[in-house]
Structures are given as C-alpha cells and as structure tokens.
C-alpha cells in the first residue's frame, strides 16, 4: 500500500458526460501528480500541483482540469468525455515538488479505471 | 528530460539475478536515474534512484557507469512476483515543477 488513495476505482460513463476523480496523497506529501495510461499511449503525465499551486503541465487536454485543495487532496475533472478518454488515471504524491535537490520519489495510487461508452 | 533506451522484454529464471539495462547517453550532470515498475495495470512502484554512485536498498541495486551514460537495475533473486514492466527514467532538477516521463519500459518475465 503506497498510502495514496484514489476514488473511485472504476467508473463507467457515457460520451459527453463529466466526471471527477479524487486523490488523497500520502500524509505529509505536498505534491500531487496526475497521469493517464491508455493501451496505446503508455503513462502520460498530465499535471502537477504543489501545495495548492500548479507546478507543471503535460499534454493535458483543455477538457481536463485539476486542482489541489487546502487539505492537499486533489481532483481531476474530465468533461465532454470521448471514447478515447477511456484509460487508467493514476495519481502520485511526493514530499517535495521533485524539483527539490532532495529528489524524493513519487508514490502512486492504484488508479481509477475510466470507461467511456 | 534525457531519453532512455531499454530492451522491450527480458526473461529471467526464478531465483537468479535479473539485470535490466538502460541507456541514457544524453544524461546531464544534475539528472538522476529513477527506476519504477508496474505490475499488470497497478500503480507504478518506486524501486530506487541514484545520481552518480551505486545504490542499494531492500528491493534492488542500481549500478551507474562512471560516465553515467548507462545503468543497470539488479534484482538479486528474482521471484515470480517480480514479473512486471520496469521503467528507467532520467529526472532533472529544474527548481520548479517536475514530472517523471515514462518510456515504454522493459517487460520482465520471471519463470520457474
């Protein structure tokens, strides 16, 4: 158990809908990262937050957004869903921003499997 | 981030050492080498990381060549549970936001 909690574990929804994925980082971790893993793309970095502020952005679609709340949990919002958005969505957390010289490792949750039908 | 090259797949007999190579010939002086693994659609699991010196922990050893252009992850006594995709990642310190850029990794299959 990595200590990172993601809910829900599975989600089935229709095209055009909007969903929210939730992530609770490990206790004490300030950074949260979101990744998408689909069959043909591998693990793709979406976005990173550090202590409530956006720190890095990957190839995140405009239909997707995220935020990190004062209690440090994070939510990934996916809207106008398309069939191609079906994937595993992982959240990871680390103590620092991973830009720190400490270079702490990131711990991943077990993911949310999103199926868009 | 520096690009890494790993073999697509490897096999290893249970109980033997698994040596997983990674080339990162364009690595810069401040870039760390990280290893993660992913067991069948579970969340990636951190294994080990290093900068210059060889590192060892309870899971594995990391051997980094003197020129830092390649590294090897060693699982000393592989078990069936070590069957997974292993990712070698080069991580740079930028002072700001960061990410781990995963490649395609090496599918390690441990067999009896």
């Amino acid at each position: 158990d990595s200590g990172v909690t993601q809910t829900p574990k599975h989600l089935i929804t229709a095209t055009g809908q909007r969903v929210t994925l939730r992530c609770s980082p490990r206790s004490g971790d300030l950074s949260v990262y979101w990744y998408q893993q689909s069959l043909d793309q591998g693990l793709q970095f979406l976005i990173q937050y550090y202590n409530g502020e956006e720190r890095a952005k990957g190839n995140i679609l405009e239909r997707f957004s995220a935020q990190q709340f004062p209690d440090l949990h994070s939510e990934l919002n996916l809207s106008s869903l398309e069939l191609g958005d079906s994937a595993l969505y992982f959240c990871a957390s680390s103590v620092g921003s991973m830009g720190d010289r400490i270079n702490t490792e990131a711990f991943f949750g077990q993911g949310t499997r999103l199926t868009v039908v | 981030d520096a690009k890494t090259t790993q073999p697509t797949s490897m096999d290893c007999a249970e109980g033997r050492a698994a040596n997983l190579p990674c080339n990162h010939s364009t690595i810069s002086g401040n870039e760390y080498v990280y290893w993660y693994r992913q067991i069948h659609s579970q969340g990636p699991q951190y294994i080990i990381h290093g900068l210059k010196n060889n590192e060892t922990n309870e899971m594995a050893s990391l051997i980094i060549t003197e020129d830092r252009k390649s590294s090897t992850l060693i699982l000393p006594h592989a078990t069936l549970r070590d069957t997974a995709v292993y990712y070698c990642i080069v991580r740079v310190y930028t002072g700001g936001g960061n990410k781990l850029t995963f490649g395609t990794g090496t599918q390690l299959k441990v067999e009896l």
Side-chain angles (χ1 to χ4, degrees):
Chain A
D1 182 6
S2 67
V4 178
T5 303
Q6 290 188 246
T7 56
K9 286 188 171 49
H10 302 276
L11 196 50
I12 301 175
T13 190
T15 55
Q17 294 299 304
R18 170 189 169 95
V19 297
T20 298
L21 312 183
R22 182 187 170 101
C23 171
S24 294
R26 292 188 320 153
S27 176
D29 284 0
L30 298 177
S31 263
V32 169
Y33 312 77
W34 285 97
Y35 285 80
Q36 178 192 55
Q37 186 174 36
S38 53
L39 282 175
D40 58 347
Q41 291 286 334
L43 275 157
Q44 300 289 317
F45 170 75
L46 296 178
I47 199 164
Q48 180 212 356
Y49 280 83
Y50 176 74
N51 205 21
E53 294 184 1
E54 181 184 306
R55 276 293 183 94
K57 222 168 185 177
N59 296 323
I60 187 168
L61 299 172
E62 285 192 9
R63 300 183 285 108
F64 296 1
S65 65
Q67 55 183 327
Q68 185 180 27
F69 295 87
D71 67 354
L72 301 177
H73 91 272
S74 178
E75 292 180 355
L76 179 67
N77 300 298
L78 315 175
S79 62
S80 303
L81 284 167
E82 303 174 359
L83 296 176
D85 297 327
S86 295
L88 271 167
Y89 291 84
F90 289 106
C91 168
S93 73
S94 66
V95 171
S97 69
M98 291 192 72
D100 302 340
R101 294 192 182 277
I102 298 174
N103 249 279
T104 56
E105 62 272 24
F107 294 86
F108 283 76
Q110 289 306 300
T112 293
R113 182 175 293 279
L114 174 66
T115 303
V116 182
V117 297
Chain B
D1 294 349
K3 184 178 178 179
T4 60
T5 305
Q6 299 178 253
T8 302
S9 63
M10 294 182 64
D11 294 332
C12 179
E14 189 177 34
R16 303 296 294 271
N19 297 302
L20 291 90
C22 179
N23 287 322
H24 30 79
S25 58
T26 59
I27 194 170
S28 299
N30 62 347
E31 292 181 325
Y32 283 72
V33 179
Y34 279 79
W35 283 84
Y36 279 76
R37 72 180 183 183
Q38 187 175 25
I39 299 172
H40 189 55
S41 297
Q42 295 180 18
Q45 178 188 23
Y46 166 81
I47 301 173
I48 199 167
H49 74 279
L51 181 62
K52 297 180 183 178
N53 301 320
N54 299 336
E55 302 287 345
T56 295
N57 63 20
E58 64 279 4
M59 287 184 68
S61 295
L62 174 60
I63 308 298
I64 303 174
T65 58
E66 194 169 341
D67 64 6
R68 304 206 328 116
K69 293 184 184 303
S70 66
S71 61
T72 301
L73 178 74
I74 301 173
L75 307 178
H77 305 287
T79 70
L80 299 178
R81 291 183 180 182
D82 293 321
T83 293
V85 178
Y86 286 77
Y87 297 97
C88 169
I89 301 158
V90 175
R91 181 59 244 143
V92 64
Y93 168 73
T94 67
N98 296 275
K99 58 185 185 287
L100 292 168
T101 302
F102 288 79
T104 54
T106 296
Q107 172 67 65
L108 175 68
K109 186 176 181 182
V110 181
E111 300 172 308
L112 293 172

